[in-house]
């Protein structure tokens, strides 16, 4: 498959490394290149990733034809705001899918923290990893996995893929669109100075706002109403007592929460651990 950047991404200085197969993880590859001194704004992509990693140490299945894309960036924001970059990626991916498959728009939603749903099924997940490199250079890798041709079987939650939903799109055309929409929303984010606008854009596309939510922390389950996300991207839940609670971590389930037993469907807007990593 032949990947290319959108002309505006190329003009903005973004670079692309595309591989037929990645035996490991595109996130690992992008981070290693950062450690070796690669400049930021480098995409590492493939339509066949064999050692994909998901959140919370899970693996991420990537059958041939699905998109695995990792972007090395060097944000200049406060470290505490770095995780908000995941919302930029969420909105950019939503927009790229809308461009490539306009008929899906009614069922296309972002799910806190970083998933994309098609008609309620998970079609994409993201893994953000950050590292402070020697001489204080702070880099972040945003890893985006999209079920283009196929969704994994046996997942403990509903899944979806673009082609199974009737979209005529492949990993290369989706990636090209994403490289353009990323540019637009990353500029809007403006090193977190524009988070208010990203937050609005994300909330306008979000699944489950105003509806029931359950979050599990260990043995404890908190139930309430998903009210909003705050300026740092944390989930704000209105408890039955009327009190608002801010959630940064936990397994989250939206919708009919009566039978929720913490099926580990989602996590926090987290940047995974790595050497010298600031967990955010
Ligand atoms: O658990 C999740 O939902 C996150 C999945 C993230 C998968 C993507 S695929 C591209 C990048 N490379 C990886 O190894 N993981 C991310």
């Amino acid at each position: 498959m032949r990947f290319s950047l959108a002309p505006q991404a190329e003009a903005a200085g973004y670079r692309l490394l595309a591989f037929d197969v990645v035996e490991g993880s595109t996130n690992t590859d992008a981070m290693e290149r950062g450690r070796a001194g690669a400049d930021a704004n480098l995409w590492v992509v493939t339509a066949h990733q064999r050692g994909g990693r998901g959140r919370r140490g899970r693996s991420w299945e990537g059958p041939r034809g699905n998109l695995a894309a990792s972007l090395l960036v060097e944000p200049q924001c406060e470290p505490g705001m770095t995780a908000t970059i995941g919302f930029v990626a969420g909105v950019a991916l939503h927009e790229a899918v809308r461009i490539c498959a306009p008929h899906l728009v009614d069922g296309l939603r972002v799910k806190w923290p970083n998933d994309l749903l098609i008609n309620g099924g998970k079609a994409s997940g993201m893994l953000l990893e950050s590292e402070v490199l020697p001489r204080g250079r702070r880099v972040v890798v945003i890893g985006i996995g999209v079920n283009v041709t196929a969704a994994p079987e046996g997942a403990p939650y509903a899944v979806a893929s673009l082609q199974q939903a009737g979209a005529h799109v492949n990993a290369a055309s989706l990636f090209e669109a994403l490289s353009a929409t990323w540019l637009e929303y990353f500029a809007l984010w403006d090193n977190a100075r524009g988070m208010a606008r990203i937050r609005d854009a994300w909330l306008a596309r979000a699944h489950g706002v105003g509806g029931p939510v359950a979050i599990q922390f260990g043995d404890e389950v908190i139930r309430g109403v998903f009210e909003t996300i705050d300026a740092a991207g944390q989930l704000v839940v209105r408890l039955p007592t009327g009190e608002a609670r801010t959630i940064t971590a936990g397994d989250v389930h939206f919708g009919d929460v009566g039978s929720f037993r913490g099926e580990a469907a989602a996590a926090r807007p987290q940047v995974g651990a790595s050497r010298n990593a600031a967990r955010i």
Side-chain angles (χ1 to χ4, degrees), residues 25-27 49 51-55 60 68-70 115 122 125-127 143-145:
S25 148
T26 53
N27 262 37
Q49 174 181 246
R53 296 185 287 110
R55 285 192 298 251
W60 176 262
S70 297
D115 291 347
K122 176 165 169 162
M126 296 186 192
L127 177 67
I144 305 170

